Amino acid sequence: MTTVGVLTGGGDCPGLNAVIRAVVRAGAKYGFDTIGIRDGWHGLVVGDVEPLTDYSVSGILPKGGTILGTSRTNPFKSEADIQRVRDNIRRFGIDALVAIGGEDTLGVANKLSKLGIPVVGVPKTIDNDVAATDYTFGFDTAISIVTEAIDRLHTTAESHHRVMVVEVMGRHAGWIATMAGIAGGADQILIPEIPFDLDEVTRHLQARHDKGKKFSIVVAAEGARPKGMEDAITQSDRVDEFGHATLGGIGIYLRDELEKRFGMEARVTVLGHVQRGGIPTAHDRVLATRFGVAAVELIKEKDFGKMVALRGNDIIAVPLEEAVAHLKTVDMDLYKIASIFYGG
Ligand code: F6P
């Protein structure tokens, strides 16, 4: 009998439950038992688990968030916690571990794999910044939400002749801003990968204004910053167990600067966690399901230390090491497409 442990770590995102369901159901076909580990790595440190059955995962496919809970716990912060993880894996008879997460969760999975723990990774994040996979699930849902918000902001921006600044998530990579900005017809997209020049942004808005367009939409990733500013704007000094600060504030900064420079009334909308909430799109449900089934196949083959990934339209397996080696930043060809529309 094989027992599979499954956990979700880091920020939640729509589609996590679809993976959990797929792992349980595909595993059952091979006679595997599945144990859900609560609140990410925290559950393995303290030994908080629950059995998952066909019945308990029924109806969760369209549900946002994660039925297992999540946390940003880093067990590698302490030797004692790593020992607890090992002890609990033995105690619950876990033969294989499925870690569903982004850069931090997969980083822990990679380190555990090097310690000899049989682990398989599944990439998730609304930020779409995990390397070695073309897309992560959650991202499509996030850009659909942001695109709808931009559409809605367009009508009110036009009525009031305003500049609307939309702050979206994206700590190190501006995928959400770029893709939703293109889909929503943004007049300027600001991303962490390219520090921006406020004079240039103002020039683009002015050019548009001169053509008779008396409103503009500026989409900014939370990690975007002007040239000369060393770090992204943060909400507080607090950092999580992986050393990440809580970003936020670039929208307000831009609203004030653009109002000053451009002379037009500006407003800011911070979309925040709305981008991560609610039901997954059909695309994310399918991708998450394919990832979950592929993770079980890796376990069946005892092919550990790998992450399932989307390459073109195929699901493949890549070494976890490759997935965590670097972050996948925005494709500059894609960003160039977005910038063709600036000043229009
Ligand atoms: O998981 C990714 C992410 O959504 C980032 O885009 C964002 O910076 C961060 O999580 C927010 O984290 P929290 O939910 O802890 O505020």
Side-chain angles (χ1 to χ4, degrees), residues 28-92:
K29 300 269 183 255
Y30 292 124
F32 298 170
D33 274 343
T34 309
I35 289 177
I37 296 155
R38 293 201 187 99
D39 300 331
W41 297 115
H42 178 75
L44 266 190
V45 171
V46 301
D48 189 6
V49 302
E50 65 180 274
L52 293 176
T53 62
D54 256 19
Y55 182 76
S56 65
V57 297
S58 178
I60 67 172
L61 172 66
K63 220 178 151 204
T66 161
I67 58 160
L68 293 176
T70 187
S71 72
R72 296 194 189 275
T73 302
N74 180 2
F76 280 95
K77 278 193 86 179
S78 114
E79 264 306 314
D81 280 355
I82 284 300
Q83 193 49 50
R84 286 187 191 105
V85 166
R86 283 176 181 282
D87 293 346
N88 281 322
I89 287 175
R90 209 171 309 118
R91 174 175 157 214
F92 297 114

Coordinates of all heavy atoms in Angstrom, one line a residue, residues 28-92:
A28 N -6.2 6.8 -6.3 CA -7.1 5.7 -5.9 C -7.1 4.6 -7.0 O -7.3 3.4 -6.7 CB -8.5 6.2 -5.7
K29 N -7.0 5.1 -8.3 CA -7.0 4.1 -9.4 C -5.8 3.1 -9.2 O -5.9 2.0 -9.7 CB -6.8 4.8 -10.7 CG -8.0 5.8 -11.0 CD -9.1 5.1 -11.8 CE -10.2 6.1 -12.2 NZ -11.4 6.0 -11.4
Y30 N -4.7 3.6 -8.6 CA -3.6 2.7 -8.4 C -3.6 2.1 -7.0 O -2.6 1.5 -6.6 CB -2.3 3.5 -8.6 CG -2.0 3.9 -10.0 CD1 -1.8 5.3 -10.3 CD2 -2.0 3.0 -11.0 CE1 -1.6 5.7 -11.6 CE2 -1.8 3.4 -12.3 CZ -1.6 4.7 -12.6 OH -1.3 5.1 -13.9
G31 N -4.7 2.3 -6.3 CA -4.7 1.8 -4.9 C -4.0 2.6 -3.9 O -3.7 2.1 -2.8
F32 N -3.6 3.9 -4.2 CA -2.9 4.7 -3.2 C -3.9 5.3 -2.2 O -5.0 5.6 -2.6 CB -2.2 5.9 -3.9 CG -1.2 5.6 -4.9 CD1 -0.6 6.6 -5.7 CD2 -0.7 4.3 -5.0 CE1 0.4 6.3 -6.7 CE2 0.3 4.0 -6.0 CZ 0.8 5.0 -6.8
D33 N -3.5 5.5 -1.0 CA -4.2 6.2 0.0 C -3.6 7.6 0.0 O -2.4 7.8 -0.2 CB -3.9 5.7 1.4 CG -4.9 4.5 1.7 OD1 -5.9 4.4 1.0 OD2 -4.5 3.7 2.6
T34 N -4.5 8.6 0.3 CA -4.0 10.0 0.3 C -4.2 10.7 1.7 O -5.4 10.5 2.2 CB -4.6 10.9 -0.8 OG1 -4.4 10.2 -2.0 CG2 -3.9 12.2 -0.9
I35 N -3.2 11.3 2.2 CA -3.3 12.1 3.4 C -3.2 13.5 3.1 O -2.2 13.9 2.4 CB -2.2 11.7 4.4 CG1 -2.5 10.3 5.0 CG2 -2.1 12.6 5.6 CD1 -1.3 9.8 5.9
G36 N -4.1 14.4 3.6 CA -3.9 15.8 3.4 C -3.2 16.4 4.5 O -3.4 16.1 5.7
I37 N -2.2 17.2 4.2 CA -1.4 17.9 5.3 C -1.8 19.3 5.4 O -1.9 20.0 4.4 CB 0.1 17.8 4.9 CG1 0.6 16.3 4.8 CG2 1.0 18.6 5.9 CD1 1.8 16.1 3.9
R38 N -2.2 19.7 6.6 CA -2.9 21.0 6.8 C -1.8 22.1 6.9 O -0.8 22.0 7.5 CB -3.7 21.0 8.1 CG -4.9 20.1 8.0 CD -6.0 20.5 9.0 NE -7.1 19.5 8.9 CZ -7.2 18.6 9.8 NH1 -6.4 18.5 10.8 NH2 -8.2 17.7 9.7
D39 N -2.2 23.2 6.2 CA -1.4 24.5 6.3 C 0.0 24.4 5.8 O 0.9 24.9 6.5 CB -1.5 25.1 7.7 CG -2.9 25.4 8.1 OD1 -3.7 25.7 7.3 OD2 -3.2 25.3 9.4
G40 N 0.2 23.8 4.7 CA 1.5 23.7 4.1 C 2.5 23.0 4.9 O 2.2 22.0 5.6
W41 N 3.8 23.4 4.9 CA 4.8 22.7 5.6 C 4.6 22.7 7.1 O 5.1 21.9 7.9 CB 6.2 23.4 5.3 CG 6.6 23.2 3.9 CD1 6.8 24.2 3.0 CD2 6.8 22.0 3.2 NE1 7.1 23.7 1.7 CE2 7.1 22.4 1.8 CE3 6.8 20.7 3.5 CZ2 7.4 21.4 0.8 CZ3 7.1 19.7 2.5 CH2 7.4 20.1 1.2
H42 N 3.8 23.7 7.6 CA 3.4 23.8 9.0 C 2.8 22.4 9.5 O 3.2 21.9 10.6 CB 2.5 24.9 9.3 CG 2.0 25.1 10.7 ND1 2.9 25.6 11.7 CD2 0.9 24.7 11.3 CE1 2.2 25.5 12.9 NE2 1.0 25.0 12.7
G43 N 1.9 21.9 8.7 CA 1.3 20.6 9.0 C 2.2 19.5 9.2 O 2.0 18.6 10.0
L44 N 3.3 19.5 8.5 CA 4.3 18.4 8.6 C 5.2 18.7 9.8 O 5.8 17.7 10.4 CB 5.2 18.3 7.4 CG 4.8 17.3 6.3 CD1 5.8 17.1 5.3 CD2 4.4 15.9 6.9
V45 N 5.4 19.9 10.2 CA 6.2 20.2 11.4 C 5.5 19.8 12.6 O 6.0 19.2 13.5 CB 6.6 21.8 11.4 CG1 7.2 22.1 12.7 CG2 7.4 22.2 10.2
V46 N 4.2 20.1 12.7 CA 3.4 19.8 13.9 C 2.6 18.5 13.9 O 2.0 18.1 14.9 CB 2.4 21.0 14.3 CG1 3.2 22.3 14.5 CG2 1.4 21.2 13.2
G47 N 2.6 17.9 12.7 CA 1.8 16.6 12.6 C 0.3 16.8 12.5 O -0.4 16.1 13.2
D48 N -0.1 17.8 11.6 CA -1.5 18.0 11.5 C -2.0 17.5 10.1 O -1.7 18.2 9.1 CB -1.7 19.6 11.6 CG -3.2 19.9 11.7 OD1 -4.0 19.0 11.8 OD2 -3.5 21.1 11.7
V49 N -2.6 16.4 10.1 CA -3.0 15.8 8.8 C -4.5 15.3 8.9 O -5.1 15.2 10.0 CB -2.1 14.6 8.5 CG1 -0.7 15.0 8.4 CG2 -2.3 13.4 9.4
E50 N -5.0 15.0 7.7 CA -6.4 14.4 7.7 C -6.4 13.5 6.5 O -5.8 13.7 5.5 CB -7.4 15.5 7.5 CG -7.3 16.3 6.2 CD -8.4 17.4 6.0 OE1 -9.5 17.1 5.5 OE2 -8.0 18.5 6.3
P51 N -7.2 12.4 6.6 CA -7.3 11.5 5.5 C -8.2 12.1 4.4 O -9.1 12.8 4.7 CB -8.0 10.2 6.1 CG -8.6 10.7 7.4 CD -7.9 11.9 7.8
L52 N -7.8 11.9 3.1 CA -8.6 12.4 2.0 C -9.1 11.2 1.3 O -8.4 10.3 1.0 CB -7.7 13.3 1.1 CG -7.2 14.6 1.7 CD1 -6.3 15.3 0.6 CD2 -8.4 15.5 2.1
T53 N -10.4 11.3 1.0 CA -11.1 10.1 0.3 C -11.8 10.7 -0.9 O -12.0 11.9 -1.0 CB -12.1 9.4 1.2 OG1 -13.1 10.4 1.5 CG2 -11.4 8.9 2.5
D54 N -12.2 9.8 -1.8 CA -13.1 10.1 -2.9 C -14.2 11.0 -2.4 O -14.6 12.0 -3.0 CB -13.7 8.8 -3.5 CG -13.0 8.5 -4.8 OD1 -11.9 8.9 -5.0 OD2 -13.6 7.7 -5.5
Y55 N -14.8 10.6 -1.3 CA -16.0 11.4 -0.7 C -15.6 12.8 -0.3 O -16.2 13.7 -0.6 CB -16.6 10.6 0.4 CG -17.8 11.2 1.0 CD1 -19.0 11.2 0.4 CD2 -17.7 11.9 2.2 CE1 -20.1 11.8 0.9 CE2 -18.8 12.6 2.7 CZ -20.0 12.5 2.1 OH -21.1 13.1 2.6
S56 N -14.4 12.8 0.5 CA -14.1 14.2 1.0 C -13.6 15.2 0.0 O -13.7 16.4 0.2 CB -13.0 14.0 2.1 OG -11.8 13.5 1.6
V57 N -13.2 14.7 -1.2 CA -12.8 15.7 -2.3 C -14.0 15.9 -3.3 O -13.8 16.6 -4.2 CB -11.5 15.2 -3.0 CG1 -10.4 15.2 -2.1 CG2 -11.7 13.9 -3.8
S58 N -15.1 15.3 -3.0 CA -16.3 15.5 -3.9 C -16.7 17.0 -3.8 O -16.9 17.5 -2.7 CB -17.4 14.6 -3.4 OG -18.5 14.8 -4.2
G59 N -16.9 17.6 -5.0 CA -17.5 18.9 -5.0 C -16.5 20.1 -4.9 O -16.9 21.2 -4.9
I60 N -15.2 19.7 -4.7 CA -14.2 20.8 -4.5 C -13.6 21.4 -5.8 O -12.9 22.4 -5.7 CB -13.1 20.4 -3.5 CG1 -12.2 19.3 -4.2 CG2 -13.6 19.9 -2.2 CD1 -10.9 19.0 -3.3
L61 N -13.9 20.7 -6.9 CA -13.2 21.1 -8.2 C -13.4 22.6 -8.5 O -12.4 23.3 -8.8 CB -13.8 20.3 -9.3 CG -13.4 20.7 -10.7 CD1 -11.9 20.5 -11.0 CD2 -14.2 19.8 -11.8
P62 N -14.6 23.2 -8.4 CA -14.7 24.6 -8.7 C -14.5 25.6 -7.6 O -14.5 26.8 -7.7 CB -16.2 24.7 -9.1 CG -16.9 23.6 -8.3 CD -15.9 22.6 -8.1
K63 N -14.1 25.0 -6.4 CA -14.0 25.9 -5.2 C -12.6 26.6 -5.2 O -11.6 25.9 -5.4 CB -14.1 25.0 -4.0 CG -14.8 25.6 -2.9 CD -15.0 24.6 -1.7 CE -15.1 25.4 -0.5 NZ -14.7 24.8 0.7
G64 N -12.6 27.9 -4.9 CA -11.3 28.6 -4.8 C -10.6 28.3 -3.5 O -11.1 27.4 -2.7
G65 N -9.4 28.8 -3.3 CA -8.7 28.6 -2.0 C -8.2 27.2 -2.0 O -8.0 26.5 -3.0
T66 N -8.0 26.7 -0.8 CA -7.5 25.3 -0.6 C -8.2 24.7 0.6 O -8.1 25.3 1.7 CB -6.0 25.2 -0.5 OG1 -5.6 23.9 0.1 CG2 -5.4 26.3 0.4
I67 N -8.8 23.5 0.4 CA -9.4 22.8 1.6 C -8.4 22.5 2.7 O -8.8 22.2 3.8 CB -10.2 21.6 1.2 CG1 -9.4 20.6 0.5 CG2 -11.4 22.0 0.3 CD1 -9.9 19.1 0.5
L68 N -7.1 22.4 2.3 CA -6.1 22.0 3.3 C -5.6 23.2 4.1 O -4.8 23.0 5.0 CB -5.0 21.3 2.6 CG -5.3 19.9 1.9 CD1 -4.1 19.4 1.2 CD2 -5.8 18.9 3.0
G69 N -5.9 24.4 3.7 CA -5.2 25.6 4.3 C -3.8 25.7 3.8 O -3.3 24.8 3.2
T70 N -3.2 26.9 4.0 CA -1.9 27.1 3.6 C -1.1 28.0 4.5 O -1.7 28.6 5.5 CB -1.9 27.7 2.1 OG1 -0.6 27.8 1.6 CG2 -2.5 29.1 2.1
S71 N 0.2 28.1 4.4 CA 1.0 29.0 5.2 C 2.3 29.2 4.5 O 2.6 28.6 3.5 CB 1.3 28.3 6.6 OG 2.2 27.3 6.4
R72 N 3.0 30.2 5.0 CA 4.3 30.5 4.5 C 5.4 30.0 5.4 O 6.4 30.6 5.6 CB 4.5 32.0 4.2 CG 3.5 32.5 3.1 CD 3.9 33.9 2.7 NE 2.9 34.5 1.8 CZ 2.8 34.3 0.5 NH1 3.6 33.5 -0.1 NH2 1.8 34.9 -0.2
T73 N 5.2 28.8 6.0 CA 6.1 28.2 6.9 C 7.3 27.7 6.2 O 7.2 27.0 5.2 CB 5.4 27.0 7.7 OG1 4.3 27.5 8.3 CG2 6.4 26.3 8.6
N74 N 8.5 28.0 6.7 CA 9.8 27.5 6.2 C 10.4 26.6 7.2 O 11.1 27.0 8.1 CB 10.7 28.7 5.8 CG 12.0 28.2 5.2 OD1 12.2 27.0 5.0 ND2 12.9 29.2 5.0
P75 N 10.3 25.2 7.0 CA 10.9 24.3 8.0 C 12.4 24.4 8.0 O 13.0 23.9 9.0 CB 10.4 22.9 7.5 CG 10.1 23.1 6.0 CD 9.7 24.5 5.8
F76 N 13.0 24.9 7.0 CA 14.5 25.0 7.0 C 15.0 26.1 7.8 O 16.2 26.3 7.9 CB 15.0 25.0 5.5 CG 15.1 23.7 4.9 CD1 14.0 23.3 4.1 CD2 16.1 22.8 5.1 CE1 14.0 22.0 3.5 CE2 16.1 21.5 4.6 CZ 15.1 21.1 3.8
K77 N 14.1 26.8 8.5 CA 14.6 27.9 9.4 C 15.2 27.3 10.7 O 15.9 27.9 11.4 CB 13.4 28.8 9.8 CG 13.2 29.9 8.7 CD 12.2 30.9 9.2 CE 13.1 32.0 10.0 NZ 12.2 33.1 10.4
S78 N 14.8 26.0 10.9 CA 15.4 25.4 12.1 C 15.6 23.9 11.9 O 14.8 23.2 11.3 CB 14.4 25.6 13.3 OG 13.9 24.4 13.8
E79 N 16.8 23.4 12.4 CA 17.1 22.0 12.3 C 16.1 21.1 12.9 O 15.7 20.0 12.4 CB 18.5 21.8 13.0 CG 19.7 21.8 12.1 CD 19.6 20.8 10.9 OE1 19.2 19.7 11.2 OE2 19.9 21.2 9.8
A80 N 15.6 21.6 14.1 CA 14.6 20.9 14.9 C 13.3 20.6 14.0 O 12.7 19.6 14.1 CB 14.3 21.6 16.2
D81 N 12.9 21.7 13.3 CA 11.7 21.5 12.5 C 11.9 20.5 11.3 O 11.0 19.8 11.0 CB 11.3 22.9 11.9 CG 10.6 23.8 12.9 OD1 10.3 23.2 14.0 OD2 10.3 24.9 12.6
I82 N 13.1 20.5 10.8 CA 13.4 19.5 9.7 C 13.3 18.1 10.3 O 12.8 17.2 9.7 CB 14.7 19.8 9.0 CG1 14.6 21.0 8.1 CG2 15.3 18.6 8.2 CD1 13.5 20.8 7.0
Q83 N 13.8 18.0 11.5 CA 13.7 16.7 12.1 C 12.3 16.3 12.4 O 11.9 15.1 12.2 CB 14.5 16.7 13.5 CG 14.8 15.3 14.0 CD 15.3 14.3 13.0 OE1 16.3 14.5 12.3 NE2 14.7 13.1 12.9
R84 N 11.5 17.3 12.8 CA 10.0 17.0 13.0 C 9.3 16.6 11.7 O 8.5 15.7 11.7 CB 9.3 18.3 13.6 CG 9.7 18.5 15.0 CD 8.9 19.7 15.6 NE 9.4 20.0 16.9 CZ 10.2 21.1 17.1 NH1 10.4 21.9 16.2 NH2 10.7 21.2 18.3
V85 N 9.7 17.2 10.6 CA 9.2 16.9 9.3 C 9.5 15.4 9.0 O 8.6 14.6 8.6 CB 9.7 17.8 8.2 CG1 9.5 17.3 6.8 CG2 9.1 19.2 8.3
R86 N 10.8 15.1 9.2 CA 11.2 13.7 8.9 C 10.4 12.7 9.8 O 9.9 11.7 9.3 CB 12.7 13.5 9.3 CG 13.7 14.0 8.3 CD 15.0 13.8 8.9 NE 16.1 14.3 8.1 CZ 16.7 13.7 7.1 NH1 16.2 12.6 6.7 NH2 17.7 14.2 6.5
D87 N 10.3 13.0 11.1 CA 9.6 12.2 12.1 C 8.1 12.0 11.7 O 7.6 10.9 11.7 CB 9.7 12.7 13.5 CG 11.1 12.7 14.0 OD1 11.9 12.0 13.4 OD2 11.3 13.4 15.0
N88 N 7.5 13.1 11.3 CA 6.1 13.0 10.9 C 5.8 12.2 9.6 O 4.8 11.5 9.5 CB 5.4 14.4 10.9 CG 5.2 14.9 12.3 OD1 4.7 14.1 13.1 ND2 5.4 16.2 12.5
I89 N 6.8 12.3 8.7 CA 6.7 11.5 7.5 C 6.7 10.1 7.8 O 5.9 9.3 7.3 CB 7.8 11.9 6.5 CG1 7.5 13.3 5.9 CG2 7.9 10.9 5.3 CD1 8.6 13.8 4.9
R90 N 7.6 9.7 8.7 CA 7.6 8.3 9.2 C 6.4 7.9 10.0 O 5.8 6.9 9.7 CB 8.9 8.1 10.0 CG 9.5 6.7 10.0 CD 10.8 6.5 10.6 NE 11.8 7.5 10.2 CZ 12.4 8.4 11.0 NH1 12.1 8.5 12.3 NH2 13.3 9.3 10.5
R91 N 6.0 8.8 10.9 CA 4.9 8.5 11.8 C 3.6 8.3 11.0 O 2.8 7.4 11.3 CB 4.7 9.7 12.7 CG 3.5 9.7 13.6 CD 3.5 10.9 14.5 NE 2.2 11.2 15.0 CZ 1.7 12.4 15.3 NH1 2.5 13.5 15.1 NH2 0.5 12.6 15.7
F92 N 3.3 9.0 9.9 CA 2.1 8.9 9.1 C 2.3 7.9 8.0 O 1.4 7.7 7.2 CB 1.6 10.2 8.6 CG 1.2 11.2 9.8 CD1 1.9 12.4 10.0 CD2 0.2 10.9 10.6 CE1 1.6 13.2 11.0 CE2 -0.1 11.7 11.7 CZ 0.6 12.9 11.9

